[in-house]
Amino acid sequence: MTSGSEIVKDSQDGVRDRRIASLTQTLGDRSIVLVGFMGSGKTSTGRRLAQRLGLPFVDADVEIEAAAGMTIAEIFAKHGEPSFRDGERRVMARLLEDGPRVIATGGGAFLNEETRARIAKRGVSVWLKADPEVLWRRVRKRSHRPLLQSPDPEKTLRTLLEQRYPYYARADVTVISRDGPHELAVEEIICAIEFFMRFSPDPPPLTPSRPMNLSKTSAPAPISLATGEVLFDASGSPPGAAQGPDGRPPAAKVRVNLGARSYDILIASGLIAEAGGHIQRLAPGAACAIVTDANVAEIHLAGLEESLDKAGVRHSVVVVPPGETSKSFATFAEVCDAVIAAKLERGDLVIALGGGVIGDLAGFAAASIRRGMRFIQIPTSLLAQVDSSVGGKTGINSDHGKNLVGAFHQPSLVLADAHALETLPAREFRAGYAEVVKYGLIGDAGFFSWLQTHWRGVFSGGSDRVHAIATSCRAKAAIVARDEHERGDRALLNLGHTFGHALERINHYDGARLVHGEGVSIGMALAFRFSVKLGLCPCGDADRVEAHLREVGLPTRLADIKGLALDAGQIIEAMYQDKKVERGALTFILAREVGDCFVAKSVDAEEVRAFLQDELNTGI
C-alpha cells in the first residue's frame, strides 16, 4: 500500500521532471555557458547543473589542455597568453557547435568579442559572480594559476576583476556565487534561465570578431543583462556600435506580455517625428487627444502634430501647467472635459506627451472617460521612459498623499524617444537615473555593476543610453507580466519609494527643493542602510550604493534636502499614507545585498523611527 508521503514525493518529483523537461525543450540546441572569474565555482556548479538537467558537462580548460597536450600553466610558459587565448577561442567555437550541454569556461573566455557573439547565438550565458574577498579566499592557495604569478597576487586579482567585471556583466543572467550547498546555486541558475528564456527574443546573428583592447574602457555590446535582449540600430548594425551608418543610435523593442492587452515599447531617437505612422498603423482611422504640459509643448508638441498631420490623424490638444500640482482633481476634471468636448469616442486615443506627471494624469483620464479609452505613452523624461510609462499605473494625488486616486490602465503603445532626453535639464536626467539604478538593485547585480562602469555613457547618449533604457523597461515589463496589479513582487519596484514619497509629501511636492527621483535616491540609500541596521545586508553593499548615487550627483541623506525641517515622527506619519500600508502596518522594500531585494511587511514602526532619528542626528 502506498503511503501519503510517498504520493506527495512522487507528485513533487513529477513537477520537477516536467519543469526540467520544459526548460531543456525550450533550450533546444543551445548550451548553458558558465562564465566568471577563477574561483567562482564554474566547474563544480556546472557538473551539478548538468546532472540536474540531464545534459553533458564539459570544462573548456580541460578541453584546451587535451588539445594542446600540456597544462594551461605550460601553455602560458611556453607560448604566452596570446597563444592560449587563440586556442581558447577556437575550442569554445567547437564546443558551442555541439549543444545542448553545460560548458564551464575559463576566466578570460568571455572577454573575447567573437566568443561572446557565439555564446549569444548558440547558448545562454550565466555569470557566477562572487565578491573579491570570496574569490581570494578560494584561489589564494592554488599556485597553478598563471595570471596570479606576481609579487602581490591579491592586488593582481583585484586589478583583473576591475578589467573583467564589466564584460562578465554582459552575460544573459547573473547568479551570486556564495559559500554553501551547490544545489542552491543550481536552483538559482535554473530559475534565472527559466526567466530569461520566457522573456528573451531569438538569439542574434553572429558578428565578425574585432580586436579588443583591454587597456581602454570600451562600451559594452548592448545586451540586456536581465533578459539578453540584443539591440540593433535601424540599419541592422551589429551590437556594440555606438551609431549606425545613418548616424542614429541603436533602437530596441520591448514587449509587455499581458495576453490580449500586450503592447510594445519602442526605444529609439526620432520617434516623436515618426509617431503619426505608428499610431495610424495601431488604430487606423482613430482620432486622438494630446495631453501635455506647457514646458513640453514648447519643445515637442509641434513635431508631434506635424507627424500626426502627415499620417492623417485628427487630433486635439490639452495643455496643463507643468509640475506635480497638475496631478489634482481639478486638472483631472479639466482634461476629461476637454477630451469629451473634442468628441472623441471610446475607440479613439489619448496621447500622453510628457514626463511622469502627464503620463499618470492622461492615463487616468483615459481609464475614466467613457469607461475606458485607449492611450499611448510618449514619455519625454528618463524617469518616465524607464518607469512610469510602463505597467499601466495611472492616477492623481490627494491632499493625504501621492497617487492615492487612480487605476491600472495599460497603454496600447509606448514610444520612448531617446533624443527627447537631450532637452532635459541635467537635474531632471539625474533624477530619472535613480530609477535606472533601482532595477539593478532589486534584482540584477550585473546591471548595477555595468552602470557603475558605464554611467557616463548613459548620461552622454548613444548605445549605452538605449541599452540602459531597454534593460530597465524589460526588467519592469517582466515583473508587470507576472504581477500586473501589485499583489506580489511588483512591489519590489517601490524600492526607496516609501521613504521618498514621505519626503515628497512633507515637502508639499515642491520641485525646487526635491523632485521625485531625488526622493527615490535618498529612499534607496536609506533602505540599504536600514537593511544594514537590521542585520540583513552587508555594510559594504550599502556603501557601494551610496557611493554610486553620489558619484552621479544624486542625494543620499536626509540632510541633503536643504531648507526642509524634518523629524522622525513627521516622516513616520507621512509613511502611513503610503499605498502599501496594510491593516495599519508599514511595508518596505529591504535588501539582502545588491541585486537581492525583498518585500518586508509589518515592519516595526519604532525600529523605523529609531533608524530615522539616528540618520537625523548624524546629519551627514
Side-chain angles (χ1 to χ4, degrees):
M1 182 174 178
T2 304
S3 70
S5 62
E6 289 173 333
I7 294 174
V8 171
K9 182 178 185 299
D10 289 343
S11 175
Q12 292 172 338
D13 289 343
V15 171
R16 283 194 291 266
D17 290 345
R18 288 193 297 273
R19 179 190 179 200
I20 296 304
S22 175
L23 178 58
T24 54
Q25 181 179 5
T26 304
L27 278 171
D29 62 355
R30 286 195 270 183
S31 293
I32 297 172
V33 184
L34 304 183
V35 305
F37 202 72
M38 63 183 83
S40 59
K42 300 185 294 293
T43 299
S44 54
T45 304
R47 291 187 189 280
R48 288 168 173 79
L49 176 64
Q51 182 179 19
R52 174 81 178 275
L53 297 179
L55 296 175
F57 171 77
V58 61
D59 187 322
D61 282 351
V62 172
E63 294 292 312
I64 293 168
E65 290 180 333
M70 60 182 75
T71 67
I72 290 175
E74 290 171 340
I75 299 172
F76 266 75
K78 186 174 182 179
H79 300 291
E81 184 176 0
S83 177
F84 170 77
R85 295 301 174 199
D86 184 61
E88 183 177 55
R89 176 187 58 79
R90 288 185 277 109
V91 167
M92 284 300 302
R94 172 172 60 83
L95 295 178
L96 286 164
E97 288 302 315
D98 298 327
R101 53 175 52 172
V102 177
I103 303 173
T105 66
F110 202 61
L111 277 63
N112 182 273
E113 189 170 8
E114 180 181 328
T115 298
R116 286 199 308 276
R118 289 187 180 279
I119 293 172
K121 176 64 176 176
R122 300 288 302 164
V124 177
S125 52
V126 179
W127 177 22
L128 291 181
K129 181 180 183 296
D131 290 333
E133 293 76 14
V134 174
L135 293 172
W136 175 239
R137 186 173 67 249
R138 293 175 181 175
V139 306
R140 62 185 175 183
K141 296 181 180 179
R142 303 178 188 178
S143 60
H144 67 285
R145 305 283 187 178
L147 293 179
L148 297 184
Q149 303 305 308
S150 69
D152 189 346
E154 184 177 4
K155 182 179 179 181
T156 300
L157 179 143
R158 291 180 180 276
T159 299
L160 287 169
L161 289 178
E162 290 178 4
Q163 293 176 345
R164 293 182 177 188
Y165 266 29
Y167 293 90
Y168 296 150
R170 304 177 203 179
D172 297 319
V173 298
T174 299
V175 173
I176 303 300
S177 175
R178 306 179 181 87
D179 291 333
H182 285 95
E183 287 70 21
L184 178 60
V186 167
E187 178 62 26
E188 291 181 353
I189 291 171
I190 290 173
C191 290
I193 294 174
E194 286 175 326
F195 179 84
F196 167 78
M197 298 300 291
R198 189 179 306 127
F199 297 107
S200 65
D202 293 333
L206 284 175
T207 58
S209 177
R210 295 193 298 273
M212 181 174 61
N213 184 357
L214 282 181
S215 65
K216 297 180 180 179
T217 301
S218 56
I223 300 174
S224 167
L225 306 173
T227 65
E229 181 191 43
V230 177
L231 315 178
F232 294 90
D233 65 23
S235 64
S237 292
Q243 292 184 329
D246 60 357
R248 292 175 58 180
K253 180 169 73 172
V254 175
R255 185 72 170 169
V256 182
N257 291 298
L258 291 169
R261 293 174 295 105
S262 297
Y263 56 93
D264 289 329
I265 306 165
L266 305 184
I267 306 158
S269 288
L271 286 176
I272 291 176
E274 300 169 0
H278 290 292
I279 292 168
Q280 200 279 331
R281 286 188 294 273
L282 176 70
C288 64
I290 304 168
V291 180
T292 188
D293 68 44
N295 290 344
V296 174
E298 184 176 347
I299 302 170
H300 298 298
L301 180 57
L304 176 58
E305 287 193 285
E306 181 180 353
S307 176
L308 294 173
D309 288 337
K310 287 181 179 178
V313 178
R314 179 174 68 86
H315 60 276
S316 59
V317 178
V318 185
V319 179
V320 303
E324 192 75 26
T325 55
S326 283
K327 284 177 60 173
S328 65
F329 285 99
T331 307
F332 170 70
E334 291 175 9
V335 171
C336 290
D337 285 342
V339 173
I340 294 170
K343 299 182 179 178
L344 267 67
E345 301 172 356
R346 180 178 289 182
D348 292 327
L349 298 162
V350 173
I351 299 176
L353 175 67
V357 168
I358 291 298
D360 287 355
L361 173 65
F364 187 34
S368 305
I369 298 169
R370 305 193 190 282
R371 295 193 173 92
M373 294 178 63
R374 291 181 295 175
F375 86 110
I376 292 174
Q377 290 268 20
I378 305 182
T380 58
S381 70
L382 180 59
L383 187 149
Q385 289 188 3
V386 302
D387 187 67
S388 60
S389 68
V390 181
K393 278 189 177 181
T394 71
I396 58 175
N397 301 331
S398 160
D399 290 341
H400 298 285
K402 189 170 181 177
N403 298 325
L404 293 179
V405 181
F408 286 96
H409 188 57
Q410 298 294 341
S412 298
L413 177 67
V414 180
L415 300 176
D417 190 333
H419 182 69
L421 303 182
E422 299 296 332
T423 65
L424 281 182
R427 182 188 180 196
E428 290 293 332
F429 191 94
R430 281 197 303 270
Y433 181 78
E435 296 283 359
V436 177
V437 172
K438 176 186 73 178
Y439 292 106
L441 298 181
I442 63 174
D444 194 339
F447 183 43
F448 181 72
S449 296
W450 183 86
L451 289 170
Q452 286 182 291
T453 304
H454 296 283
W455 68 268
R456 291 176 180 84
V458 178
F459 276 61
S460 62
S463 61
D464 281 352
R465 179 177 293 176
V466 173
H467 171 55
I469 295 171
T471 301
S472 301
C473 286
R474 190 170 287 274
K476 181 165 186 179
I479 292 175
V480 169
R482 298 196 306 271
D483 180 22
E484 182 180 1
H485 296 109
E486 202 173 21
R487 297 189 177 96
D489 62 355
R490 183 169 179 174
L492 289 172
L493 297 170
N494 290 306
L495 173 66
H497 286 60
T498 301
F499 289 109
H501 282 171
L503 297 175
E504 286 185 274
R505 181 167 184 254
I506 294 168
N507 187 47
H508 302 291
Y509 309 106
D510 178 3
R513 186 157 42 199
L514 183 75
V515 296
H516 175 70
E518 292 169 342
V520 170
S521 177
I522 295 171
M524 292 191 300
L526 287 171
F528 267 79
R529 291 198 294 271
F530 186 40
S531 299
V532 170
K533 182 169 184 178
L534 295 176
L536 300 169
C537 177
C539 182
D541 281 39
D543 292 342
R544 186 179 166 203
V545 172
E546 180 169 8
H548 181 58
L549 293 171
R550 284 205 172 277
E551 184 179 23
V552 304
L554 284 165
T556 60
R557 299 273 176 172
L558 295 173
D560 292 336
I561 311 173
K562 303 303 181 185
L564 184 63
L566 294 167
D567 67 69
Q570 181 187 29
I571 299 173
I572 293 289
E573 182 182 352
M575 285 178 176
Y576 273 110
Q577 291 297 338
D578 192 276
K579 301 184 300 301
K580 298 178 291 300
V581 170
E582 292 186 12
R583 301 179 187 272
L586 296 173
T587 297
F588 288 85
I589 311 304
L590 300 178
R592 300 183 184 92
E593 61 186 2
V594 169
D596 185 3
C597 290
F598 65 99
V599 181
K601 297 189 176 183
S602 301
V603 176
D604 187 342
E606 289 309 310
E607 284 192 287
V608 181
R609 187 190 304 273
F611 166 73
L612 289 170
Q613 193 59 58
D614 287 345
E615 291 280 318
L616 290 167
N617 290 341
T618 302
I620 58 172

